[in-house]
Amino acid sequence: MAETLVKKFVVTRFDPDKDEAPRTESYEVPCHPDWKVLDALNHIKDEIDGSLAHRWSCRMSVCGSCGMNVNGQPTLTCKKAVSDLPDTVEVTPLANFPVVRDLVVELDGFMEKLKSVKPWIIRAKEKAVEEGPMRQSQAELEEFKQFSMCINCMLCYAACPVVANEPEFLGPAAIALGHRYSVDSRDEGAAERNEIFRGEGTVFACSYANECSEVCPKHVDPAAAVNQAKFNAVIDWAAGLVLPRGGKE
Amino acid sequence: MKHLLLKIEPLIWLLFGQGILLGTILLTGWILVVNLGVPLGLISDDGLAFQRAHELGSSLVGRLVLAALCALPLWKGAHHMRHVSIDSGGAGRDAVVAPLLYGVAALGSLLAIAAVIRL
Ligand code: FES
């Protein structure tokens, strides 16, 4: 049997009913060499300290719920191998989010932002089923396919220096998911979204640090989406200045 | 102020984007030729003779290019510096920093336009 690696996990603990501020607790964890960080956290919860709270579900980088900061880096804990980490592993809740408890963060703010960009197909008039499917070419699919791979893990929010300073900024994932629909050939809602992109949580707040794309576990490249969204929002704004009725049909 | 900044953001970003384009492409070439190539004797300075440079610069296209070359990188710089300020924890002072930086860029742009008109 392969040897176990003993690692020291320094984990942030916070119980709002008891603690005034977050504190840390250390655990010696005998890790199987092919364990991921999430396996170690589950081991802590199952075998050492059942009071630890952390969120996870699929264990296969699909549900996006196990994001945490591991040694300061926003990480999907079910994807990160413990063997790739030093002997001491620091696990803290995802940065830039309010903490509910221990490693569990509050999602409401993100959900609100996501909803605000209308991440669904908007059509002036629904196409009747009898009229057949809406066909899409491979090239049209490629326009948005990459952005649709987002799993809402929010690592990009934890990595983004702008989110850290301007909490109202829509943020990488929400912009990428709104943009994903704006560039879908079946969608007719780009103008509506452009107005949202120019509004309170403006896309222009992005200073193109590119950190979001660096940490994205699904290679979505949200920074590209944000910059394409900026460009489209500018063109739409300029069209509004020179064309009658703001360029709207 | 915050509301006004939000309103003019697309315009600023347009100027900033064009500033990057010109700054990285044309200004780099300009610096390589005028500040390095010619002084080091790698490039002949015949093309920079006053008469020729003046003719080129004072044509309509020349004036437009010169004005853009002076003004747009100012917007790029101002916008970059504003974001450095915000990213280093200065979101609270943005209402002062942004108008100041954009003010300098606007003033510089006006001076550049005035200068190319007088060429
Ligand atoms: S547990 Fe689902 S992505 Fe990690």
Side-chain angles (χ1 to χ4, degrees), chain A residues 6-27:
Chain A
V6 179
K7 301 249 179 198
K8 182 171 156 193
F9 278 77
V10 181
V11 180
T12 301
R13 304 297 310 266
F14 176 62
D15 180 348
D17 293 334
K18 289 196 213 131
D19 303 323
E20 287 214 339
R23 56 194 171 82
T24 56
E25 212 149 303
S26 300
Y27 307 93

